Amino acid sequence: MNLPASLLEILHTIFGPGACSTHDAERLAYAYDNSRRNALPDAVVFAQEHAQVEALVRACREHRVPVIARGRGTNTTGATVPVQGGVVVSFERMNRILRIDPDNRLAVVEPGVLNGDLQRALAPHGFFWPPDPTSSPWCSIGGNLACNSAGPRTVKYGSPRENTLGLRAVAGTGESFRCGTYTSKGATGYDLTRLLIGSEGTLALITEATLKLTPKPSGLRTLRATYRDVSSAAHAVARIMAQPVTPCALEFIDDVALKLAHDHGGGDVPLAGAMLMIEVDGEPDTLPSAVDAVSHAARGEGLEELRVAQTSEETQALWSARKALSPAQRTISPNKINEDVVVPVSRLPELVNGIRELSRKHNVLIVTFGHAGNGNLHVNLLPRDDAERERANACLAEVFALVIALQGTLSGEHGIGLVKREFMPLAVEPSALDLMRSVKAAFDPDGIMNPGKLLP
Amino acid sequence: MNLPASLLEILHTIFGPGACSTHDAERLAYAYDNSRRNALPDAVVFAQEHAQVEALVRACREHRVPVIARGRGTNTTGATVPVQGGVVVSFERMNRILRIDPDNRLAVVEPGVLNGDLQRALAPHGFFWPPDPTSSPWCSIGGNLACNSAGPRTVKYGSPRENTLGLRAVAGTGESFRCGTYTSKGATGYDLTRLLIGSEGTLALITEATLKLTPKPSGLRTLRATYRDVSSAAHAVARIMAQPVTPCALEFIDDVALKLAHDHGGGDVPLAGAMLMIEVDGEPDTLPSAVDAVSHAARGEGLEELRVAQTSEETQALWSARKALSPAQRTISPNKINEDVVVPVSRLPELVNGIRELSRKHNVLIVTFGHAGNGNLHVNLLPRDDAERERANACLAEVFALVIALQGTLSGEHGIGLVKREFMPLAVEPSALDLMRSVKAAFDPDGIMNPGKLLP
C-alpha cells in the first residue's frame, strides 16, 4: 500500500521534512520490535508536540490509514509492528519531563521519556516511579503505559495502572482529551485513564502522562535462596507471599536458566535446582525484622542455601544470574518464544511442574524465571530449528491451557499485541470481548488505531 | 409511570413473591438515599444470585425500563435515587463471602456484603481490604465499588480501583461477563474492571468481586496536632506528604467543625484553630522512627500542641472529635450540602483559605474536614433555612470553580450521582465527556442503567 499523495502532503506540512520520512531506511528501522516480527510502514513520523499528534490522527482518519504508536520498540509481542502498513508515529523526540512535583508526589512527562531517565531525574527528590521493566534504560514511559509494563518491583508497588493519575491523549476519532486528575484520589466519572493503560495504542495516542510517585525507601536488603528443585522454590514463594512483609522483589529462576546463565555469565551464578532472589526495602531500622520474616518463610523443605548480601558489591553479585539470563537465551535461540503468563501465587508449584512436563512431552527446551511474587513467570521456549519451532508452538498452546486451568491469565506485563491475540478467547469470554470491541469502536470508529492487535 | 403487566409478571417469576414488591411501603423505603433526595421506584426486587440479575436486565431492556442498583443507600449524591422510576434492585440479600484466600491475598464476595462484615471476616487471617468509608458498618462492597468509595486509609493504601482484581457483572445489554483476573498483575486486554468501578451503576450491575487484600500491619500509632489556624494546619499536611513516611490516615478538621464537635460530642474535643489526626502503621519496631518522621513534619509555624496516644483508650479519645462530626452537623442543618472536593496536597492551604473567604462572602456556615493526605476535603455547607440554602447553592458553584482553578476535581470518593452531574463540565472537558457517553452507549445502548446519573 502506498499512502495517498494528499495525506503525504499533509504529513509533510505537520511534521516538516526532518520528521517525516518514506525512505526505505526509516521504514525498515521502524518495521520491527523486540518480537522480531516485522512489516513495513508506509511512512514514519516523529512527533514533538500534542497538536501534531492530533493533526496526524485527523488526517489518517480522513484517509482511513492506520496509525501505529511507537515508543522504543522494546516490547516482545509485536504490538508496534505495522502489520497493515500505515504511519508509524515515533515518540522518541517527544521526550521532555515537563514537571517534577515532589510536594504532590507526581511528575508530568511526555511519552518518549525513557523509564531510566525519569528514575534518574526523580532520585535527587527522593522519589521513584515503580514500574521497572528489565528494558528500563531503553524503554519509554509511553510504551510502559500502552502495555501496562511492570517489572520486579510490581509485587510491592503495583503496575502502571496503580501508578498513573491522568493522561492527555488523542482518540482514534481525532479528538484530544484529558482524563484522570492531578490528585491522588478521584471519583469524577469513568476511569478512562486505566482504560487507556494497557490498550496498546488501539484506542488513543498518549501525549502526556501524570505519574504518581513513591518515596524511595532509604534501605534495601537482598537475599538469595537456592533450592533442591523448582517445586520447593515455588512452594517457598507461596509461603513468602502469605506472610505480612511484602518483598519489593521476589524473582524465581529455574535450574535450566541457572545453567544457561552460569555457562554464559560466569561463575558467580550458582548451579541449583532453582533460585529465588528476594529483596526487602524500607527505612534502615525496619530491615532486620523484614529480613527475618522473609528468611523464615523462605526456609523449608528443599532449601539448600540462604544468603543475605552484606554489601552493595555482594548485592550486585547476587543479581548477576538474573541479569545474564536474557543474552544467554538469545545465544541458544535467536527466535525464542518469550511468554509472561501469570497464575495465583499458590498455584505456582502446579504451573512450574506442569511446564516441566510439557517441556518433556514436546521435547522443547523451556526456561522459566520471573516475577514470582505476582505469580508472573516468563516461560521461554527455546527452539533451535524449524522442527523444534513447530513443536514449541504446539507446546505453547498447552502452556496457555494450563495457565487458564490454574485461574491464571495470558500476560502479566508484556500484553497481547500480535502474537497472543489468537489466544485471547482462552482468557476472555466472548461477552467481554464483545464489550472490548464496543469500547474500541467508541474510541476508534474507523479502526485506524494499531489495527490487527490485542483483539482477535 | 406504571410497569407493564408483562414485565411485572416476569419479575415475579424471576424473584418470587418474597423478593419482588410494588407495595408503597417498599417503594418508599427504596426511594431515597443519604442525599435525602427521593423519587419512587415502580418496583423493588431483591437479588440473590447472578442469574436473576441477568434475567432482570434482559427483561427491563426489552421493556425499556430503568434498572437502579442499590447497596445500602449510604451514598450522599443521590446515585441510587430512581429519578426516572423503574426497578430498584437491592443487593442486600446477595451478601455471601464466597471465598477468603489468604495465600493469594484475595477474597471473592457478593456485592451485598457489608464492608464492616468483610473486615471482621478477614481479621483472623491477618488481612484487611483497604477502602474504609465512615459508613463502613452499614455500606456494601457493591456500593463501595460503584462509587469508588474510599476513606482515611486511602492515603496509604488506595481506593477500590487500586484494590480490586476482577468482577463479574451484567452489562446494560443484558450480557453477563467477567473481567479482570485472580492474579495481582495482568495485561490481557482492556481494563473493564476499573471502568466499572466508579461508574455508579450506569454501565453494568456488579454481581461478584474479587478483592485484593493487604496484610494488616501489627502496629499503629495515633497522633493529634492542633494549630493556631486552618492555614498552618494545611501547610503541615503538605509537609507531611512531602516526606517519605506515608501515614495511614491524615485527617484535617477545621475550627468550626471542632467547635461543633466539642459542643455536641463532649469535652475531649479540643478547641483550636484546626486539628490534624495522623496515624502511622507497620511492624512495631518500625513505629518509633515513623512517629518521629511525621512529628518532625507536623511541627512548624502555628503548631500549638502535638500529642501521641500511648494507649488504645487514648487513641479512642483522640478520634472522638472526628466521630462526633457528622451527627453534630445534622443537628444544625438536616439538609447539609456535603461535598468532597479534592486538590493537589500543596494547594490545600489555598483551598482552605479560599473556602473561608467564600463562607464570609456568601454568609453561609461551612465546615471543612476530611482526608487531607489525599487533598480530599469534605466541604459541608450548613444552611439553616431556605434563604441560606439559596446562598449556599451560589457559594457551592464558586467552591467548585476554586477547586478546578487549583487543579483539583469535583469528588474524591463520593462520586457524582444526581447532585453533581450539572457540574461535570467544569471538571471534564467536552471531548472526554463525549467519550464517556460513547462508553456508556457501548455497555448500555438503551440507556436503562441508572438513568439521569453521573453524565450531564
Side-chain angles (χ1 to χ4, degrees):
Chain A
M1 162 179 169
N2 285 312
L3 294 186
S6 60
L7 176 58
L8 264 180
E9 199 176 314
I10 298 173
L11 295 183
H12 276 286
T13 309
I14 298 171
F15 294 98
C20 173
S21 175
T22 52
H23 294 307
D24 282 354
E26 255 88 14
R27 291 170 61 215
L28 278 165
Y30 292 86
Y32 66 93
D33 59 21
N34 196 29
S35 69
R36 312 250 161 152
R37 307 282 181 113
N38 72 79
L40 281 180
D42 298 294
V44 182
V45 298
F46 299 88
Q48 281 194 281
E49 50 187 69
H50 176 89
Q52 290 178 320
V53 178
E54 184 185 279
L56 167 71
V57 176
R58 289 181 177 213
C60 285
R61 186 180 179 196
E62 201 168 302
H63 291 84
R64 300 288 188 275
V65 164
V67 183
I68 299 91
R70 184 187 167 94
R72 288 298 184 101
T74 55
N75 79 85
T76 61
T77 66
T80 61
V81 175
V83 283
Q84 298 180 21
V87 181
V88 163
V89 49
S90 169
F91 286 95
E92 65 198 89
R93 299 182 193 173
M94 192 164 169
N95 61 353
R96 288 175 304 164
I97 297 175
L98 300 173
R99 179 173 145 204
I100 294 177
D101 183 351
D103 287 355
N104 294 307
R105 296 186 171 194
L106 62 83
V108 182
V109 303
E110 290 182 340
V113 172
L114 298 187
N115 183 301
D117 288 347
L118 175 66
Q119 309 294 359
R120 254 190 306 282
L122 295 175
H125 301 278
F127 285 88
F128 71 109
W129 190 56
D132 60 336
T134 309
S135 54
S136 146
W138 318 283
C139 65
S140 70
I141 301 293
N144 297 168
L145 297 174
C147 300
N148 198 32
S149 313
R153 286 195 296 236
T154 301
V155 63
K156 180 166 181 179
Y157 294 107
S159 72
R161 283 190 180 128
E162 286 81 34
N163 290 286
T164 307
L165 301 177
L167 298 172
R168 190 180 191 197
V170 180
T173 55
E175 287 292 319
S176 295
F177 64 101
R178 287 183 183 273
C179 54
T181 57
Y182 293 104
T183 58
S184 55
K185 209 173 168 183
T188 307
Y190 302 153
D191 190 347
L192 303 183
T193 306
R194 265 68 171 253
L195 188 61
L196 293 198
I197 297 174
S199 68
E200 303 182 5
T202 62
L203 300 178
L205 301 183
I206 295 169
T207 60
E208 186 186 299
T210 303
L211 307 175
K212 179 183 170 184
L213 306 181
T214 298
K216 204 168 172 64
S218 53
L220 181 77
R221 294 293 286 279
T222 305
L223 295 81
R224 186 179 90 182
T226 50
Y227 294 86
R228 190 181 56 216
D229 49 39
V230 289
S231 179
S232 310
H235 281 287
V237 169
R239 285 197 305 274
I240 292 167
M241 290 308 294
Q243 55 84 45
V245 176
T246 304
C248 65
L250 177 45
E251 299 286 298
F252 167 94
I253 306 180
D254 79 1
D255 53 342
V256 188
L258 284 174
K259 174 110 183 32
L260 266 180
H262 182 89
D263 293 351
H264 292 264
D268 274 346
V269 177
L271 291 172
M275 185 173 98
L276 297 183
M277 298 290 309
I278 313 163
E279 283 194 335
V280 290
D281 63 7
E283 297 309 293
D285 58 347
T286 69
L287 294 180
S289 65
V291 168
D292 285 351
V294 298
S295 297
H296 179 76
R299 288 194 188 94
E301 179 73 18
L303 176 76
E304 291 189 335
E305 189 198 28
L306 179 67
R307 284 169 64 173
V308 185
Q310 302 299 335
T311 65
S312 66
E313 289 72 31
E314 270 191 79
T315 299
Q316 295 292 329
L318 293 190
W319 277 104
S320 60
R322 182 68 179 82
K323 305 273 181 198
L325 265 181
S326 277
Q329 292 173 73
R330 286 275 190 216
T331 61
I332 291 192
S333 174
N335 294 306
K336 66 173 179 176
I337 300 175
N338 179 353
E339 294 305 334
D340 77 314
V341 298
V342 49
V343 296
V345 170
S346 72
R347 316 301 294 268
L348 265 181
E350 291 161 87
L351 176 66
V352 164
N353 290 324
I355 288 173
R356 196 52 51 115
E357 274 171 43
L358 291 173
S359 168
R360 274 192 293 268
K361 174 179 165 187
H362 293 277
N363 190 20
V364 175
L365 186 65
I366 303 184
V367 303
T368 56
F369 62 95
H371 317 306
N374 290 111
N376 182 203
L377 278 202
H378 293 297
V379 177
N380 285 8
L381 293 79
L382 304 178
R384 281 159 298 190
D385 57 35
D386 285 351
E388 288 196 3
R389 194 161 303 120
E390 204 160 301
R391 295 205 302 274
N393 283 324
C395 181
L396 187 60
E398 290 195 53
V399 169
F400 287 141
L402 171 65
V403 164
I404 301 300
L406 297 173
Q407 293 208 300
T409 193
L410 300 178
S411 171
E413 58 182 16
H414 289 176
I416 301 304
L418 187 59
V419 302
K420 268 177 286 193
R421 60 196 280 258
E422 64 179 298
F423 296 107
M424 276 289 271
L426 278 176
V428 184
E429 55 191 359
S431 54
L433 283 175
D434 281 346
L435 285 169
M436 290 183 190
R437 286 192 191 95
S438 303
V439 167
K440 162 86 173 163
F443 279 79
D444 178 26
D446 297 306
I448 61 167
M449 304 299 279
N450 204 9
K453 310 297 168 57
L454 197 145
L455 292 170
Chain B
M1 163 177 170
N2 285 312
L3 294 186
S6 60
L7 175 59
L8 264 180
E9 199 175 314
I10 299 172
L11 295 183
H12 276 285
T13 308
I14 299 170
F15 294 98
C20 173
S21 177
T22 53
H23 293 307
D24 282 354
E26 255 86 16
R27 291 169 63 215
L28 278 165
Y30 292 86
Y32 66 95
D33 60 21
N34 196 30
S35 69
R36 312 250 161 148
R37 306 281 181 115
N38 73 79
L40 280 180
D42 298 296
V44 182
V45 298
F46 299 87
Q48 281 194 282
E49 50 187 69
H50 176 89
Q52 290 178 320
V53 178
E54 184 185 278
L56 168 71
V57 176
R58 290 181 178 214
C60 285
R61 185 179 181 198
E62 199 166 306
H63 291 83
R64 301 286 190 275
V65 165
V67 183
I68 299 91
R70 184 188 166 93
R72 288 299 183 102
T74 55
N75 78 85
T76 61
T77 66
T80 61
V81 175
V83 282
Q84 298 180 20
V87 181
V88 163
V89 48
S90 168
F91 286 95
E92 65 198 89
R93 298 182 192 171
M94 193 164 169
N95 60 354
R96 288 174 304 164
I97 297 175
L98 300 173
R99 182 174 143 204
I100 294 177
D101 183 351
D103 287 357
N104 294 307
R105 296 187 171 193
L106 63 83
V108 182
V109 303
E110 291 182 339
V113 172
L114 298 187
N115 182 301
D117 288 348
L118 175 66
Q119 309 294 0
R120 254 189 306 284
L122 295 175
H125 300 279
F127 284 89
F128 71 109
W129 190 55
D132 60 336
T134 309
S135 54
S136 148
W138 317 283
C139 65
S140 71
I141 301 293
N144 297 168
L145 298 173
C147 299
N148 198 31
S149 313
R153 286 196 296 237
T154 301
V155 63
K156 180 165 180 179
Y157 294 106
S159 72
R161 282 190 181 128
E162 285 81 33
N163 290 285
T164 306
L165 301 176
L167 297 173
R168 190 178 191 198
V170 180
T173 56
E175 286 292 317
S176 294
F177 64 101
R178 286 183 184 274
C179 55
T181 58
Y182 294 104
T183 58
S184 54
K185 209 172 168 183
T188 308
Y190 302 152
D191 190 347
L192 303 184
T193 306
R194 265 68 171 251
L195 188 60
L196 293 198
I197 297 175
S199 68
E200 304 182 4
T202 62
L203 300 178
L205 301 183
I206 295 168
T207 60
E208 187 184 299
T210 302
L211 307 175
K212 179 183 171 185
L213 306 181
T214 298
K216 203 171 174 60
S218 53
L220 181 76
R221 294 292 286 279
T222 305
L223 294 80
R224 186 180 90 181
T226 49
Y227 294 86
R228 190 180 55 215
D229 49 41
V230 290
S231 180
S232 310
H235 281 287
V237 169
R239 285 197 305 273
I240 292 167
M241 290 308 293
Q243 54 84 46
V245 176
T246 304
C248 64
L250 177 45
E251 300 286 300
F252 168 93
I253 307 179
D254 79 2
D255 52 344
V256 188
L258 284 174
K259 173 108 182 35
L260 266 180
H262 182 88
D263 293 350
H264 292 266
D268 275 347
V269 177
L271 292 173
M275 184 173 98
L276 297 182
M277 298 291 308
I278 314 163
E279 283 195 334
V280 291
D281 63 6
E283 297 309 293
D285 59 346
T286 69
L287 294 181
S289 65
V291 168
D292 284 351
V294 297
S295 298
H296 179 76
R299 287 195 189 94
E301 178 74 17
L303 177 76
E304 291 190 335
E305 188 197 29
L306 179 67
R307 283 168 65 173
V308 185
Q310 302 299 335
T311 64
S312 65
E313 289 72 33
E314 271 191 81
T315 300
Q316 295 293 329
L318 293 191
W319 276 103
S320 60
R322 181 70 177 80
K323 305 274 182 198
L325 267 180
S326 277
Q329 292 172 72
R330 285 277 189 216
T331 61
I332 292 192
S333 174
N335 293 307
K336 66 172 178 176
I337 300 175
N338 180 353
E339 293 306 332
D340 77 313
V341 298
V342 48
V343 296
V345 170
S346 72
R347 316 301 293 268
L348 266 181
E350 290 162 87
L351 177 65
V352 164
N353 291 325
I355 288 173
R356 196 52 50 114
E357 273 170 43
L358 290 173
S359 169
R360 274 192 293 267
K361 173 179 166 186
H362 293 276
N363 189 21
V364 174
L365 185 64
I366 304 184
V367 303
T368 56
F369 62 97
H371 318 307
N374 289 111
N376 182 202
L377 277 202
H378 295 295
V379 177
N380 286 7
L381 293 77
L382 304 178
R384 282 160 297 189
D385 58 34
D386 284 351
E388 288 197 2
R389 194 161 304 119
E390 205 160 299
R391 295 205 302 273
N393 282 324
C395 180
L396 187 59
E398 290 195 53
V399 168
F400 287 141
L402 171 65
V403 164
I404 301 300
L406 296 172
Q407 293 208 301
T409 193
L410 299 178
S411 171
E413 58 181 16
H414 289 175
I416 301 304
L418 188 59
V419 302
K420 268 177 286 194
R421 59 196 282 257
E422 64 179 298
F423 296 106
M424 276 289 271
L426 277 176
V428 184
E429 57 191 357
S431 54
L433 282 175
D434 280 347
L435 284 169
M436 290 184 189
R437 286 192 191 95
S438 302
V439 167
K440 162 86 174 165
F443 279 78
D444 179 25
D446 296 307
I448 61 166
M449 305 299 278
N450 204 9
K453 309 298 167 58
L454 197 145
L455 291 170

